[in-house]
Amino acid sequence: MRAKENNKLIGNVYFQQQEPKEFLTWEISYVFNPEYYGKGYATEACKRVLKYGFEQLGAHRVIGKCNPKNTPSWRLLERLLMRMEGHFKKPAFFGKSNQGKPIWHDAYQYSILAGEFLSIRMTKIT
């Protein structure tokens, strides 16, 4: 995503179909430049990706995961009307220690179904 005022790249939204493909489940995630936090860019981009996923790709379900310590991230998922499904203990890592060992972290998982997104609730997020 690029900022309208200067065309600067400010973030990225990832949208990937999960296996098995016949379950029609996709995962959404995002990374944005901290300089642009709190300005609504991530919310706007994710809304459009969800709309595309449900309306064009025929997704049945979209999941989103985040670090529980990243409050703005899980609040974004909640603004998208996704519901928390679980708190997973150390399922992933994003970095390694100086000794090369993974630094594991917990994750929240959220989801939304096509019927929920396309229902009257959708008017609240698009």
Side-chain angles (χ1 to χ4, degrees), residues 21-87:
K21 294 197 184 294
E22 57 268 15
F23 285 4
L24 301 173
T25 298
W26 296 71
E27 181 175 355
I28 191 168
S29 61
Y30 35 82
V31 178
F32 278 78
N33 180 329
E35 184 180 331
Y36 293 90
Y37 286 1
K39 299 183 187 310
Y41 291 116
T43 303
E44 177 184 345
C46 288
K47 284 179 188 179
R48 290 177 187 226
V49 170
L50 288 174
K51 183 175 172 55
Y52 173 76
F54 288 121
E55 293 181 358
Q56 303 300 313
L57 300 177
H60 163 68
R61 182 169 178 265
V62 174
I63 63 170
K65 299 174 185 172
C66 66
N67 186 323
K69 293 179 182 176
N70 188 343
T71 303
S73 186
W74 58 258
R75 283 190 177 154
L76 169 59
L77 295 171
E78 291 177 356
R79 272 194 308 282
L80 297 170
L81 301 180
M82 297 177 85
R83 90 184 101 11
M84 184 191 282
E85 294 184 320
H87 182 160

Side-chain angles (χ1 to χ4, degrees), residues 64-123:
K65 299 174 185 172
C66 66
N67 186 323
K69 293 179 182 176
N70 188 343
T71 303
S73 186
W74 58 258
R75 283 190 177 154
L76 169 59
L77 295 171
E78 291 177 356
R79 272 194 308 282
L80 297 170
L81 301 180
M82 297 177 85
R83 90 184 101 11
M84 184 191 282
E85 294 184 320
H87 182 160
F88 297 91
K89 301 304 281 181
K90 303 192 184 315
F93 67 91
F94 284 115
K96 294 187 177 184
S97 69
N98 291 337
Q99 295 77 31
K101 295 184 179 183
I103 301 171
W104 298 96
H105 67 84
D106 288 2
Y108 285 160
Q109 180 170 304
Y110 285 76
S111 77
I112 188 167
L113 299 173
E116 295 168 329
F117 185 82
L118 299 172
S119 74
I120 191 70
R121 292 177 65 196
M122 183 165 164
T123 61

